[in-house]
Amino acid sequence: MNGSAANAGFPANVIRNQKYNLASFIPIVLYEQFKFFFNLYFLLVALSQFVPALKIGYLFTYFAPLSFVLVVTTGKEGWDDWKRYKRDEEANSQIYRRLIDDGFEEIPSSAIKVGDLILMEKNQRVPADCVLLRTTELSGACFIRTDQLDGETDWKLRVAVPYTQKLASDQALLRATANVYAEKPQKDIHTFVGNMSFQIPPEGDHVEPLSAENTLWANTVIASGNALGMVTYTGIDTRAVMNTSFPSTKVGQLDLEINRLSKILAVVTLILSVAMVALNGFRGLWYIYMFRFLILFSSIIPISLRVNLDMGKTVYSQQIMRDENIPDTVVRTSTIPEELGRIGYLLTDKTGTLTKNDMELKRLHMGTMSYGGDSMEDVREHLISAYGARQGTEPTFRYKRARDIASRVRDIVQALALCHNVTPVIADDGEITYQASSPDEVAIVKWTESVGLALYFRDRQSIRIRAADNQMLDFEILEVFPFTSETKRMGIIVRDASTGEIFFYQKGADAIMSKIVQYNDWLDEECGNMAREGLRTLVIGRKRLSEDALREFNRRYTEAKISVSDRNASMQKVISETLECDLELLGLTGVEDKLQDDVKTTLELLRNAGLRIWMLTGDKIETATCIAVSTKLVSRNQEIYQIAKLTSPSQAMEELNNLQGKTDCCLVIDGESLQTYLDRHRLEFIEMAIRLPAVVCCRCSPTQKAEITKLIKKHTGQRTCAIGDGGNDVSMIQAAHVGVGIVGKEGKQASLAADFSVTQFSHLTRLLLWHGRNSYKRSAKLSQFVIHRGLIISVMQAVFSSIFYFAPIALYQGMLLVGYATLFTMAPVFSLVLDKDVSEDTALLYPELYKELRKGRSLSFKTFFIWLTISVYQGGAIMMLATWLFEAEFVNIVSISFTALIFNELLMVALEIYTWHPYMIYSEVITVALYISSMWVLKADFDLTFILTTTSVWKTAVITAVSSLPLYMLKLMKWKWNPPSYTKLEG
């Protein structure tokens, strides 16, 4: 079993999250940049300057802005990928110990191959998918943490292959001759089919069946003891990698909208160029003139827009990270903050996202008695009385009823202390902690300890519990029936070591247990009451067994266990017929999964903001439904429509038809049914589901979460936001337009993969309603203003060329052209990134304002054509008034029109801004000072003897007033007669 001959042809065990390699980096980054029409257009314009006939002005005025944008983008992408490479290198170089003839040798994770026998120690990550052969526990048990695989923080029990566990030593494995059959690699982390056959001369072959409980999947962590496993899948064949979707570059909707507008601007440029040539009668080398006009009007599509927007995004990101109200928030993708202002669908995980994954037993109901809150202390007193009576120190009961109550309380608490799969783990300091595959079970066992019945020891054969007076109660475990999603219950047969009594205890979901326990008239009603309180209910029952009944059960159960066909069904049939009938109903428990802080308020605010909320969880239907109710994801009067265990396409279609008329209900669907819809009725399902106010998908695999996200994106066209905290949420987070990761109990994998990292769910409100609003509104205004800045100068160029008989001569050249987009206007225009249209309190108090943002009215074709009209008016007014007022001094037309243009732009910033903050005022004052100072430097463009005359100053002021004042008047009239909705809210 050294695997030496069988490990060829399998993928290398290498983790690789990089987007590029040395060969692909430059081509892919350049493609990502030049697929945007903006950048491609400017590349063509810049390259045209190498053609002598098309050369206009200085070469650097065309290449410098484009080169700056490309260098910044390429550097950022390179740095991000280098960090990914270093993280991968760290994971691939982790050292593991491989079993060889001479003992153990150390090898890096990347050198592990299929067939290797790898020793994994406590708290060590499993490097590849393995079959568990041996553990340090004599029973072969081993606990693992799977939080980075399925999002569940509870420990899972794994069992070594019985034959290999019984071998004398690890070295004996190398002397054994065995073959492992494993199914082909697949995504499902809950199932595994395989077998291990040993050649044992002279007896022949011995076959051990392998299931999921014999496996250790990659990225899980050994939680107890050491484990020795045989590697079965490596690298891309592992479950963890197969369930991870690799990230694509996210592009914001605003960027796509601006890209569309740039194409319209290109058409405007072409029409304008053709018009200029046509008005000149297509004389001479008209096609050359047309190209020269195209270059002259290229400022219509401003390259500085990308620089301004990218700088704006950086400012928004810094504002988010410095917000004291959402501490420790990290922006990992700084290119999409505007997306936060356009979200239509919120897809959320449950465990650790909406809840703290912190369970507590809140209610114990026994038909005629109910305990909760302060009355839990009564349970403790009843137990002391009952166990005192058992020891022979009979307490004095005033009434027979008191004795009955004490014994009933003892029965149910003892049942809860025995019927579970919890293992106590004693730390070095003597403290006992509990581990189990379900947090509900841990909560119940912790509660039994708090009332005086503590789980002290457990292995696969026995349980020891300690009563309040330190007496030890020993029980022999005869059989355990674990919880499955199909049976929705778990049971255990135990023998009381002191009395010899045999009991079958069972607990499970009320829907199942109500048919198994004896008739009663209170169970359904109390279950409903607890569910409305958001408590997870478990029904507990028991049955006393005689020795004869136990022997008969064992005989039939053993026969069922070795049957070849339909083994599970045969085993369940025996359990149902012999054990699960006429159980004595002991009581009902209500366990609360504590919600994250302010989660109810957050969900209500987000719903009022118009978001549709889907909960995608790997948890059980009952649990997810409880949380949906307790978080108010499902409102009080809303019906819950459940679809589960559907495999037939016709049944699936029938369920959809039943759902047609129920538009105001919450759909709860399990992973199996969901897969049926995704495979056979994808379109019909999503059309129905998106009409519902809330959807809960349970038992979802990571791949299903991502698939649902992509389906909503494609079918609705709306922006999606996914939020989660576990490794199983990574695919969903990366598939959504905006991914938010919560740093929590389940580690940082989701946080590191997300675009935004927060510390709790409630921070989402501020992130969307305040920062999302500001980022979108500011970027929309900034982009339109920068486009306006390019349009107005092109209109002036067109008027100037018309005056000079449609000659393609540049109005502004060199430093004037460069200074216009940078030094003379950039600071005031950029001050728009600090503007806010409503106050913080208003945005958070009236979430309905967020609905307006999704309509995209801040940047639309309508607003674009309004700005186009403004540009045509202002550009025409400045140029025509300049030629008319300064007809006698036409030689100074360049400096006059340019001065009026600069002051017009500064006034436009003051007109458009909502909040006059200090930065805006300083930038305006400093820009005016810089412009006036530059007149002394750029003497070739400015004749100071003329510019500083009174006549020149008042005429320039008139031109500026005519170009900008009418817009002020129009804005005042609009605010008076048709004010925005938020102005009414702010009084």
Side-chain angles (χ1 to χ4, degrees):
M1 280 180 67
N2 59 12
S4 57
N7 55 25
F10 296 104
N13 194 48
V14 175
I15 293 172
R16 190 176 191 282
N17 291 307
Q18 287 172 264
K19 288 167 68 176
Y20 316 103
N21 56 38
L22 284 173
S24 67
F25 177 65
I26 296 296
I28 292 177
V29 169
L30 289 179
Y31 167 74
E32 288 290 339
Q33 288 307 302
F34 289 119
K35 75 178 182 182
F36 282 107
F37 184 77
F38 253 130
N39 293 347
L40 184 63
Y41 180 84
F42 274 101
L43 178 67
L44 295 174
V45 168
L47 291 174
S48 72
Q49 295 306 287
F50 289 107
V51 179
L54 302 179
K55 192 170 185 300
I56 298 172
Y58 303 108
L59 203 61
F60 83 92
T61 59
Y62 296 92
F63 271 100
L66 182 63
S67 302
F68 176 72
V69 171
L70 291 178
V71 166
V72 169
T73 309
T74 307
K76 186 175 180 296
E77 282 292 313
W79 176 248
D80 287 347
D81 212 49
W82 171 256
K83 286 193 288 186
R84 280 191 285 269
Y85 165 73
K86 294 305 286 183
R87 285 199 296 269
D88 291 347
E89 189 179 44
E90 185 182 342
N92 290 325
S93 60
Q94 283 184 352
I95 299 298
Y96 290 87
R97 295 166 69 195
R98 177 169 61 187
L99 182 64
I100 56 173
D101 293 331
D102 300 330
F104 287 96
E105 66 170 352
E106 292 190 343
I107 59 168
S109 171
S110 55
I112 290 172
K113 295 182 173 63
V114 171
D116 285 348
L117 301 177
I118 303 295
L119 179 69
M120 291 150 286
E121 298 173 347
K122 185 178 178 181
N123 292 326
Q124 197 170 23
R125 182 182 70 88
V126 177
D129 289 356
C130 303
V131 170
L132 179 59
L133 301 182
R134 291 174 64 79
T135 73
T136 46
E137 292 283 332
L138 290 175
S139 63
C142 170
F143 281 99
I144 60 169
R145 295 199 300 268
T146 61
D147 50 316
Q148 295 305 320
L149 190 64
D150 60 11
E152 296 179 9
T153 56
D154 312 295
W155 292 10
K156 305 288 191 299
L157 178 67
R158 292 292 182 264
V159 181
V161 176
Y163 180 83
T164 53
Q165 179 65 26
K166 290 173 188 172
L167 293 175
S169 67
D170 294 342
Q171 293 293 332
L173 287 169
L174 297 173
R175 296 190 292 274
T177 305
N179 291 310
V180 173
Y181 161 77
E183 62 188 355
K184 67 178 183 179
Q186 59 158 317
K187 292 178 178 181
D188 191 346
I189 60 176
H190 300 295
T191 60
F192 175 71
V193 176
N195 60 45
M196 195 169 187
S197 58
F198 298 89
Q199 294 171 21
I200 312 170
E203 294 101 0
D205 287 357
H206 170 76
V207 179
E208 290 275 9
L210 301 177
S211 66
E213 74 167 6
N214 305 119
T215 59
L216 302 171
W217 298 139
N219 272 7
T220 58
V221 176
I222 305 298
S224 66
N226 295 348
L228 187 68
M230 173 185 275
V231 177
T232 50
Y233 305 108
T234 52
I236 57 173
D237 285 348
T238 60
R239 297 304 207 255
V241 174
M242 293 183 82
N243 275 291
T244 303
S245 57
F246 291 95
S248 57
T249 305
K250 292 187 179 180
V251 180
Q253 190 171 13
L254 188 95
D255 292 313
L256 297 174
E257 288 167 348
I258 290 171
N259 204 42
R260 282 197 293 272
L261 292 181
S262 66
K263 292 172 185 175
I264 296 173
L265 290 169
V267 172
V268 170
T269 307
L270 181 64
I271 291 169
L272 200 55
S273 303
V274 171
M276 298 302 285
V277 176
L279 288 169
N280 199 29
F282 294 101
R283 294 178 191 165
L285 298 171
W286 64 268
Y287 48 90
I288 297 288
Y289 297 152
M290 190 185 77
F291 275 109
R292 284 176 66 86
F293 274 122
L294 276 171
I295 295 162
L296 279 174
F297 297 144
S298 64
S299 57
I300 285 178
I301 307 174
I303 185 77
S304 60
L305 178 53
R306 292 233 53 91
V307 180
N308 275 282
L309 279 178
D310 287 345
M311 286 169 63
K313 290 171 196 276
T314 306
V315 171
Y316 310 146
S317 301
Q318 288 301 315
Q319 287 177 334
I320 291 170
M321 289 194 282
R322 290 179 181 177
D323 189 339
E324 293 177 359
N325 293 297
I326 46 173
D328 301 320
T329 299
V330 180
V331 179
R332 301 195 190 280
T333 307
S334 59
T335 54
I336 55 168
E338 300 93 354
E339 293 289 271
L340 294 169
R342 313 281 292 276
I343 303 300
Y345 281 83
L346 176 66
L347 310 162
T348 175
D349 176 40
K350 178 192 72 69
T351 310
T353 303
L354 296 177
T355 70
K356 292 180 178 177
N357 205 22
D358 186 2
M359 308 287 181
E360 185 181 350
L361 191 142
K362 287 284 190 181
R363 191 73 55 80
L364 182 70
H365 204 288
M366 297 157 60
T368 55
M369 297 167 293
S370 178
Y371 299 96
D374 295 336
S375 61
M376 287 298 188
E377 190 58 38
D378 297 342
V379 175
R380 186 180 184 87
E381 290 173 8
H382 287 314
L383 279 180
I384 292 169
S385 302
Y387 282 107
R390 175 176 170 144
Q391 276 191 304
T393 57
E394 185 79 30
T396 56
F397 291 105
R398 290 185 63 187
Y399 304 105
K400 181 176 183 293
R401 174 176 160 75
R403 180 184 297 150
D404 292 343
I405 292 172
S407 61
R408 285 180 64 191
V409 168
R410 180 199 64 206
D411 289 344
I412 188 169
V413 176
Q414 185 170 295
L416 291 170
L418 293 170
C419 186
H420 53 70
N421 265 316
V422 180
T423 303
V425 179
I426 302 175
D428 297 334
D429 59 0
E431 185 185 351
I432 297 178
T433 56
Y434 300 115
Q435 294 302 336
S437 58
S438 165
D440 299 61
E441 292 204 316
V442 174
I444 289 171
V445 171
K446 280 184 177 176
W447 176 80
T448 64
E449 180 185 20
S450 73
V451 295
L453 209 58
L455 176 64
Y456 184 75
F457 171 81
R458 182 193 179 128
D459 59 18
R460 299 185 78 188
Q461 288 81 37
S462 64
I463 292 181
R464 171 174 284 187
I465 53 181
R466 184 178 62 202
D469 55 0
N470 282 330
Q471 65 166 305
M472 292 296 180
L473 310 173
D474 290 304
F475 295 85
E476 181 189 352
I477 299 174
L478 303 177
E479 197 70 61
V480 176
F481 312 102
F483 180 93
T484 67
S485 55
E486 287 77 29
T487 61
K488 293 186 176 60
R489 56 196 183 274
M490 77 84 53
I492 189 169
I493 302 176
V494 295
R495 189 197 305 270
D496 189 328
S498 62
T499 64
E501 287 181 303
I502 303 165
F503 286 105
F504 167 60
Y505 291 109
Q506 190 167 51
K507 67 181 181 188
D510 54 282
I512 302 295
M513 292 294 291
S514 60
K515 300 167 189 167
I516 295 172
V517 297
Q518 294 167 352
Y519 173 76
N520 61 86
D521 57 2
W522 59 268
L523 183 60
D524 290 342
E525 183 183 349
E526 284 306 322
C527 284
N529 292 340
M530 286 193 191
R532 278 188 285 277
E533 292 178 40
L535 299 177
R536 298 148 69 112
T537 54
L538 278 177
V539 178
I540 301 95
R542 75 169 180 183
K543 186 174 190 176
R544 186 180 270 105
L545 300 177
S546 65
E547 291 287 352
D548 291 340
L550 180 65
R551 274 195 294 274
E552 175 62 16
F553 165 75
N554 282 335
R555 183 188 65 76
R556 291 184 60 188
Y557 196 59
T558 305
E559 286 176 6
K561 278 203 282 191
I562 59 173
S563 65
V564 177
S565 61
D566 216 358
R567 182 182 299 172
N568 289 341
S570 302
M571 289 161 65
Q572 187 55 50
K573 184 182 177 187
V574 173
I575 296 167
S576 299
E577 290 178 357
T578 56
L579 301 177
E580 294 180 341
C581 52
D582 210 26
L583 261 67
E584 177 190 351
L585 174 59
L586 295 177
L588 175 69
T589 62
V591 175
E592 178 189 50
D593 186 355
K594 292 178 184 173
L595 300 179
Q596 288 273 6
D597 297 337
D598 302 322
V599 73
K600 294 181 188 177
T601 316
T602 303
L603 286 174
E604 187 180 357
L605 281 167
L606 294 177
R607 252 207 315 268
N608 291 340
L611 274 73
R612 289 185 182 265
I613 301 166
W614 287 42
M615 185 164 82
L616 311 179
T617 175
D619 221 327
K620 305 187 288 288
I621 277 195
E622 295 79 17
T623 311
T625 307
C626 275
I627 296 302
V629 171
S630 61
T631 55
K632 300 292 187 284
L633 180 65
V634 180
S635 57
R636 183 173 288 275
N637 298 320
Q638 248 173 25
E639 181 189 347
I640 294 175
Y641 192 88
Q642 195 174 103
I643 298 178
K645 297 280 171 282
L646 280 187
T647 50
S648 157
S650 57
Q651 272 184 309
M653 206 60 222
E654 191 179 325
E655 289 284 4
L656 277 189
N657 292 333
N658 293 341
L659 194 57
Q660 281 292 340
K662 302 178 179 179
T663 50
D664 188 34
C665 76
C666 171
L667 171 64
V668 178
I669 184 169
D670 71 343
E672 190 178 350
S673 310
L674 181 63
Q675 197 57 51
T676 304
Y677 283 116
L678 293 177
D679 292 340
R680 306 301 294 271
H681 301 297
R682 179 181 291 252
L683 188 64
E684 294 89 338
F685 170 73
I686 197 68
E687 279 183 348
M688 184 68 235
I690 59 173
R691 294 211 298 267
L692 301 173
V695 177
V696 178
C697 301
C698 316
R699 287 289 176 201
C700 273
S701 69
T703 313
Q704 282 179 325
K705 289 184 177 186
E707 204 169 344
I708 283 289
T709 308
K710 290 172 185 171
L711 200 56
I712 293 173
K713 279 168 64 175
K714 182 181 176 183
H715 198 77
T716 65
Q718 292 196 43
R719 302 283 102 178
T720 56
C721 173
I723 181 167
D725 71 319
N728 63 321
D729 301 316
V730 169
S731 296
M732 170 178 77
I733 283 169
Q734 290 176 340
H737 293 108
V738 177
V740 180
I742 295 179
V743 181
K745 288 183 179 179
E746 298 187 12
K748 288 189 175 181
Q749 195 171 346
S751 161
L752 292 170
D755 306 306
F756 301 88
S757 167
V758 296
T759 53
Q760 61 186 67
F761 184 80
S762 60
H763 290 175
L764 205 57
T765 309
R766 193 171 180 82
L767 203 59
L768 300 186
L769 303 190
W770 177 239
H771 291 290
R773 177 186 190 84
N774 287 339
S775 300
Y776 169 59
K777 294 284 264 186
R778 290 164 177 176
S779 282
K781 184 167 283 188
L782 178 66
S783 56
Q784 290 176 127
F785 206 96
V786 174
I787 289 170
H788 156 76
R789 192 172 63 186
L791 277 168
I792 190 171
I793 201 170
S794 298
V795 170
M796 291 172 69
Q797 174 67 56
V799 174
F800 177 77
S801 295
S802 303
I803 294 167
F804 280 95
Y805 306 104
F806 306 101
I809 301 166
L811 171 59
Y812 307 121
Q813 291 189 25
M815 286 310 297
L816 284 187
L817 205 56
V818 174
Y820 174 66
T822 55
L823 205 60
F824 302 146
T825 60
M826 189 167 181
V829 170
F830 193 67
S831 70
L832 292 168
V833 303
L834 298 174
D835 194 20
K836 51 188 178 188
D837 61 337
V838 298
S839 70
E840 191 177 315
D841 292 340
T842 303
L844 297 173
L845 190 61
Y846 300 102
E848 292 78 9
L849 290 171
Y850 189 85
K851 293 179 185 177
E852 291 294 310
L853 303 180
R854 275 210 314 282
K855 296 173 183 174
R857 289 175 179 170
S858 296
L859 179 66
S860 61
F861 289 122
K862 178 184 174 182
T863 59
F864 170 72
F865 283 112
I866 288 171
W867 278 99
L868 181 63
T869 307
I870 291 169
S871 303
V872 170
Y873 164 73
Q874 290 187 326
I878 290 171
M879 207 62 218
M880 287 175 176
L881 280 171
T883 52
W884 177 53
L885 291 174
F886 292 94
E887 194 173 0
E889 301 92 2
F890 201 76
V891 71
N892 292 307
I893 195 77
V894 170
S895 58
I896 295 299
S897 61
F898 193 76
T899 303
L901 174 63
I902 294 296
F903 281 107
N904 178 77
E905 289 302 285
L906 297 180
L907 284 171
M908 281 297 290
V909 170
L911 169 70
E912 281 303 310
I913 210 153
Y914 290 103
T915 313
W916 281 45
H917 46 80
Y919 174 76
M920 176 261 180
I921 297 166
Y922 296 150
S923 63
E924 293 255 336
V925 173
I926 292 168
T927 301
V928 170
L930 271 172
Y931 178 66
I932 293 170
S933 304
S934 68
M935 293 178 180
W936 274 266
V937 179
L938 304 172
K939 291 182 178 176
D941 296 302
F942 295 99
D943 179 4
L944 290 175
T945 55
F946 169 74
I947 290 285
L948 298 175
T949 60
T950 309
T951 306
S952 170
V953 170
W954 78 258
K955 285 186 178 180
T956 305
V958 168
I959 295 170
T960 308
V962 170
S963 68
S964 56
L965 279 179
L967 296 174
Y968 269 92
M969 302 302 294
L970 285 170
K971 184 176 181 179
L972 284 171
M973 287 166 65
K974 185 185 175 186
W975 273 70
K976 185 173 178 60
W977 301 112
N978 186 24
S981 55
Y982 55 80
T983 55
K984 299 165 189 172
L985 299 175
E986 297 206 301

